[in-house]
Amino acid sequence: MKYTLRQLEIFVAVARHESVSRAADELALSQSATSTALGELERQFDTQLFDRIGKTLRLNELGQVLQPHAVQLIEHASEIETLLARKTDFGPLKIGATLTVGNYLATLIAADFLRLHPSAQVRLSVHNSATIVQQLTHYELDLGLIEGSCRHPDLVVEPWVEDELVVFCAPAHPLAHGRPVSMLELAGQDWILREQGSGTRETFDQALRHFNGNLNVRLELEHTEAIKRAVESGLGIGCISRLALREAFRRGSLTEVHTPDLDLRRQFQFVTHRRKYVTAGMREFVALCRKMTAGVARSDLIKLPFIP
């Protein structure tokens, strides 16, 4: 072969970072060695894989075609190395989870995975749905666990378990009376909501798509715990996953607002790149996810340790 796995590894890293220096840092190589290896790969085939724009390298058409094949080959090689070394555990696993899934489910599943496979490594990053989708398309993640919808043509989506958002308020709030609340009443409230780009906000906006009025969104926050604290302090009402509110409802520090006019159901979902090789570690992690939710109709009914 005219190329080496190391050259492909460098190509993939440069493609991911769009920078030779950042790729060199990731691979623990000098910038000169990284640049030389990439240049040699292109010279061997008398071609270019990147468009040079100042100090930024952007994949050209050929580079975009090569990237998924190179990623797959590197991952196959990693599994072969594990097999030849007679290791029983998996290689590094990069998981991206949206906020509700990441904080309440994915950390527990990652802990189970590491208990079963002590030599494995899991990197769990928590972001909103839009960021997880972007990272998956750039091969920065092996697997995404998201709360919102995903329609990207390069990604494969599989349903996991149903989830439901719920409108909630502080116990002293005027809507904390237990009776159904109309859209007119909801429209007159101050709202504390997740930011645009989050799966939670997407589900909420979709539920209100037939409502012609305007809501007074007083505050947008990126974290569910911050929203809970803001609502507890009386700043307004909120809408997040019932899973994230389970213990607060049990303690009585927050109260559900009954909204029969709103359909706030959604699905937690697995997302992968359709051209990415599915490793044994990925399959095992998904299997543990499904084991956690086996026979469960909705996320807040999962048996979990105490959630503060």
Side-chain angles (χ1 to χ4, degrees), residues 208-223:
L208 269 73
R209 65 190 183 281
H210 300 305
F211 175 62
N212 295 322
N214 293 316
L215 294 185
N216 179 29
V217 181
R218 189 175 188 186
L219 193 60
E220 291 185 339
L221 297 169
E222 294 184 0
H223 297 286

Side-chain angles (χ1 to χ4, degrees), residues 12-308:
V12 168
V14 173
R16 181 164 55 248
H17 293 289
E18 297 186 337
S19 163
V20 169
S21 61
R22 289 198 294 272
D25 289 341
E26 178 189 315
L27 298 170
L29 294 172
S30 69
Q31 186 170 336
S32 173
T34 303
S35 181
T36 298
L38 179 62
E40 184 62 23
L41 177 63
E42 291 181 319
R43 280 192 296 275
Q44 284 170 318
F45 294 93
D46 191 24
T47 190
Q48 281 193 327
L49 300 170
F50 295 89
D51 293 326
R52 273 72 173 174
I53 307 170
K55 294 184 178 180
T56 301
L57 298 178
R58 298 277 171 80
L59 285 172
N60 59 23
E61 186 175 353
L62 177 59
Q64 290 173 7
V65 172
L66 175 62
Q67 186 185 24
H69 296 287
V71 170
Q72 285 192 10
L73 185 55
I74 291 166
E75 289 175 345
H76 274 293
S78 178
E79 288 207 327
I80 290 172
E81 185 176 22
T82 298
L83 178 65
L84 290 173
R86 297 185 179 179
K87 295 178 181 177
T88 57
D89 279 329
F90 304 118
L93 189 59
K94 295 172 288 185
I95 306 292
T98 44
L99 203 63
T100 304
V101 179
N103 286 345
Y104 297 99
L105 301 180
T107 50
L108 299 174
I109 297 164
D112 285 344
F113 184 89
L114 292 172
R115 275 193 291 269
L116 291 169
H117 308 284
S119 299
Q121 294 179 335
V122 175
R123 190 185 77 193
L124 175 62
S125 54
V126 179
H127 299 286
N128 66 25
S129 295
T131 301
I132 297 297
V133 166
Q134 182 183 36
Q135 290 176 332
L136 284 165
T137 59
H138 287 84
Y139 300 95
E140 295 171 15
L141 297 173
D142 297 314
L143 174 67
L145 310 175
I146 70 168
E147 306 155 19
S149 62
C150 174
R151 304 175 188 86
H152 197 287
D154 292 336
L155 301 181
V156 177
V157 179
E158 292 183 54
W160 177 14
V161 65
E162 186 171 295
D163 182 56
E164 183 181 43
L165 304 186
V166 58
V167 178
F168 65 102
C169 64
H173 193 278
L175 294 185
H177 46 55
R179 298 191 303 274
V181 175
S182 68
M183 280 304 307
L184 188 60
E185 290 177 282
L186 292 175
Q189 304 301 316
D190 292 331
W191 287 85
I192 317 296
L193 296 174
R194 285 289 307 278
E195 80 287 1
Q196 296 287 344
S198 68
T200 295
R201 183 61 178 271
E202 180 188 20
T203 301
F204 179 80
D205 289 345
Q206 179 68 11
L208 269 73
R209 65 190 183 281
H210 300 305
F211 175 62
N212 295 322
N214 293 316
L215 294 185
N216 179 29
V217 181
R218 189 175 188 186
L219 193 60
E220 291 185 339
L221 297 169
E222 294 184 0
H223 297 286
T224 54
E225 292 304 310
I227 293 174
K228 287 157 68 175
R229 299 292 89 80
V231 172
E232 282 177 350
S233 67
L235 286 179
I237 65 175
C239 183
I240 59 176
S241 172
R242 191 179 290 276
L243 171 64
L245 290 161
R246 189 165 68 173
E247 290 301 324
F249 285 169
R250 182 187 62 81
R251 293 193 308 264
S253 58
L254 292 168
T255 300
E256 179 177 355
V257 177
H258 296 282
T259 56
D261 295 335
L262 296 181
D263 182 3
L264 294 168
R265 293 171 297 174
R266 62 179 180 179
Q267 283 275 336
F268 290 161
Q269 301 177 104
F270 303 112
V271 189
T272 54
H273 200 294
R274 68 173 62 254
R275 292 194 295 272
K276 181 170 176 41
Y277 174 64
V278 179
T279 65
M282 291 167 63
R283 290 193 295 271
E284 172 77 359
F285 197 90
V286 170
L288 288 174
C289 291
R290 294 202 183 279
K291 181 180 178 181
M292 171 184 271
T293 59
V296 173
R298 200 175 60 205
S299 67
D300 59 300
L301 302 176
I302 301 169
K303 291 183 179 180
L304 295 174
F306 173 75
I307 301 174

